[in-house]
Amino acid sequence: MKRSYLLRFFALLLGIFTVFVVWLFLANRNPDLDQPSVPPADPALQLVQGAYLARVGNCMSCHTARGGESYAGGRAVPTPFGNIYTSNLTPDAETGLGKWNSDDFWQAMHNGKSKDGSLLYPAFPYTNYTRVTRADSDAIFAYLQTLPAVSQPNRAPELRSPYDNRLALYVWRALYFRPGQYTNDDRQSVEWNRGAYLTQGLGHCSACHTPRDGLGGTDLKAELGGGMIPVLNWYAPPLNSDAQTSLGKWETEHLAALLKTGVAPSRSVSGPMAEVVFGSLQYAKDEDIKAMAVYLKSLPQQIAAPVVTADSMPDETKKNMVKAGAKLYENQCASCHQESGKGVPSIYPALAGSRAITTPIATNAIRMVLHGGYAPSTAGNPRPYGMPPYGHSMTDEEVASVVTYIRNAWGNQASAVSPNDVNRYRSR
């Protein structure tokens, strides 16, 4: 009798395992992988297009280590599971893409698999790049093959167990990845579709502006809904048409200017976004930037905005912080951002009425006061004005007070920032 139960139990386990293996196989198969390469009508034009698309995808920024050769890889991509190092994209035969062909590159872009069929870690955003067309993938590969070959061996990932086991990627992909190219929405304009293609694909905006769960996966229903960037600990705001929390009140031309130059009236980019504008978006065509702005402005609010939490400190304590912060602001900040908090258009961003200041997640405001920052130097803004760091001259209590003040002055309303909140980001 006991033997019969054991046999049934093991049969059940075998059945579950078989279903699991079949599920993994079906989830990871790719019916589009055999899409043939189409020879370009004009090879010279293909190279120009490939160079442009590589810029739009910001490939060089990630695949170039500080002080290293362009596109030779070696830059660490920090993740909650450990560091993953970018690969060598130069045509070196032994350490780069010298032995690859356009089919191999398409497999990496579209399906997240290397030349030998091994699964790539999604620090390489193939979850976005899968939307890129075969023609654009071929153009990028053709351009990369013209680069000077650099012999630089790829560095193995430094991941904690069990994340260092690539077999786990089969499960991850089954949960979070579905290969498939972008298809035009016939209900929308040509401009809108171009913006959607660039934003969803090469621009890989959702890699930062979408919340991630504990396994590093994103929910497509929350795409571009905003979220904390893991490890880097910057808040990437939502990119949709909501008037209160996102882009709803923006003029399309102002959003385009911000993406292209890093500055717009009363606004500027900083942190990781400044690097994106500097290395990528400033080189995009005006019509492509406009298309991206049009697309983003059309998006509905994907997820609920962050909930405003009640102040955990007594009203009298917050009142005293605001009072102390007002004096600090007058002495340290008003000369640039003005007593009114309205700033100087296209030079010093406005603090009054700024959603970047009053968002329930105050991370970015804290980090800017502590560490300062500059908008990127771009052709449209070659000599950006910057903000000096105050972390060396202000205590945690003082930084908390001035941030609490600007979050509650000039009609702003937001929760207070505690010294503990500040200390959390002082060394980052």
Side-chain angles (χ1 to χ4, degrees), residues 142-179:
Y143 165 69
L144 294 176
Q145 290 294 292
T146 68
L147 299 173
V150 178
S151 178
Q152 179 169 297
N154 291 313
R155 189 169 173 180
E158 298 172 346
L159 300 175
R160 304 190 310 276
S161 179
Y163 308 111
D164 57 347
N165 188 335
R166 287 184 183 266
L167 291 177
L169 287 173
Y170 283 97
V171 178
W172 191 94
R173 288 163 61 97
L175 292 172
Y176 302 112
F177 177 54
R178 296 294 180 272

Side-chain angles (χ1 to χ4, degrees), residues 62-146:
C62 283
H63 288 269
T64 305
R66 180 173 294 182
E69 297 290 338
S70 297
Y71 289 101
R75 178 173 179 173
V77 179
T79 77
F81 319 107
N83 287 336
I84 297 174
Y85 295 90
T86 56
S87 58
N88 187 342
L89 298 185
T90 73
D92 181 69
E94 300 304 323
T95 64
L97 304 183
K99 294 181 179 179
W100 287 45
N101 58 36
S102 59
D103 291 334
D104 300 326
F105 190 74
W106 167 251
Q107 177 174 247
M109 290 282 285
H110 186 67
N111 205 36
K113 293 184 178 181
S114 189
K115 177 181 173 62
D116 61 3
S118 61
L119 302 184
L120 299 174
Y121 285 102
F124 173 65
Y126 58 82
T127 50
N128 293 96
Y129 291 166
T130 187
R131 295 178 172 92
V132 174
T133 65
R134 179 64 196 256
D136 282 353
S137 173
D138 288 351
I140 295 172
F141 179 73
Y143 165 69
L144 294 176
Q145 290 294 292
T146 68

